[in-house]
Amino acid sequence: DAKTTQPNSMESNEEEPVHLPCNHSTISGTDYIHWYRQLPSQGPEYVIHGLTSNVNNRMASLAIAEDRKSSTLILHRATLRDAAVYYCILRDVNSNYQLIWGAGTKLIIKP
Amino acid sequence: ETGVTQTPRHLVMGMTNKKSLKCEQHLGHNAMYWYKQSAKKPLELMFVYSLEERVENNSVPSRFSPECPNSSHLFLHLHTLQPEDSALYLCASSQGSSRVETQYFGPGTRLLVL
């Protein structure tokens, strides 16, 4: 079973920042937090991952709470192309570090 | 374009048919995966191959039979499927299978079993 909790859906306006929350209260010290997204009619694609420190890449930023029990994916300026289901995933030793998927958050972008 | 291709993109088959799904990765990766995505259910990992050896089988029914002839190709052989097997079948690859490796997904094969 997935070890993360995410809202079912969120809405945002185009060209505004989006903060997608994820709770992972049972995280252990060696678990990595990964984010993927799945655009309509496509396979999932990698967004970002982190362990303890905040991370930035060309797609997004990942803010990890100090106690690591939650994290937030930040899209700095959402476009219509960012409408997708976003998955927050813990990769842990108990699952052989495989991706265990939950239901994700469906992000709706309003023009 | 992720570097992972899947064929066919759509497939309709009867319960007595035998068909195969094909996946090819052009990324030089060493691990390949099959996932099943049913409507309104999370993605389920079916099989993992690392360096062409199957390292994980999550108790998938025997009517699904994977084959990995080399590190670039992965097949999923299907026979006597049930209507509940209708789903999107996704292939993915990664350089290795550690906890930091990124998986790259193909577009999937949409399967309908009648």
Side-chain angles (χ1 to χ4, degrees), chain A residues 4 9 12 15 18 36 41 49 56-57 71 90 93 105 107 111:
Chain A
T4 60
S9 65
S12 181
E15 303 198 359
V18 179
Y36 282 73
S41 302
H49 76 274
N56 299 298
N57 67 20
S71 60
L90 291 188
V93 64
T105 296
L107 177 63

Side-chain angles (χ1 to χ4, degrees), chain B residues 40-111:
Chain B
K40 300 185 179 178
K41 288 179 70 175
L43 273 82
E44 303 169 60
L45 178 63
M46 299 177 74
F47 300 102
V48 180
Y49 277 83
S50 180
L51 297 173
E52 301 154 48
E53 300 259 338
R54 191 160 75 193
V55 299
E56 191 150 337
N57 175 354
N58 294 283
S59 303
V60 175
S62 59
R63 56 186 183 268
F64 295 92
S65 174
E67 179 189 0
C68 188
N70 55 62
S71 59
S72 298
H73 294 86
L74 184 65
F75 294 89
L76 187 63
H77 303 299
L78 317 170
H79 63 98
T80 58
L81 294 191
Q82 305 297 310
E84 60 264 29
D85 296 321
S86 299
L88 181 68
Y89 288 85
L90 291 156
C91 173
S93 72
S94 62
Q95 181 59 46
S97 54
S98 78
R99 57 192 168 156
V100 298
E101 297 288 354
T102 297
Q103 291 187 14
Y104 294 81
F105 285 80
T109 295
R110 177 73 62 184
L111 174 66

Side-chain angles (χ1 to χ4, degrees), chain A residues 82-95:
Chain A
D82 292 317
V85 179
Y86 287 78
Y87 298 94
C88 169
I89 302 167
L90 291 188
R91 297 188 77 170
D92 66 352
V93 64
N94 293 325
S95 58

Side-chain angles (χ1 to χ4, degrees), chain A residues 9-13 16-18 20 105-110:
Chain A
S9 65
M10 290 183 64
E11 285 191 3
S12 181
N13 294 319
E16 289 186 358
V18 179
L20 295 164
T105 296
K106 182 175 183 178
L107 177 63
I108 299 164
I109 305 295
K110 296 181 287 185

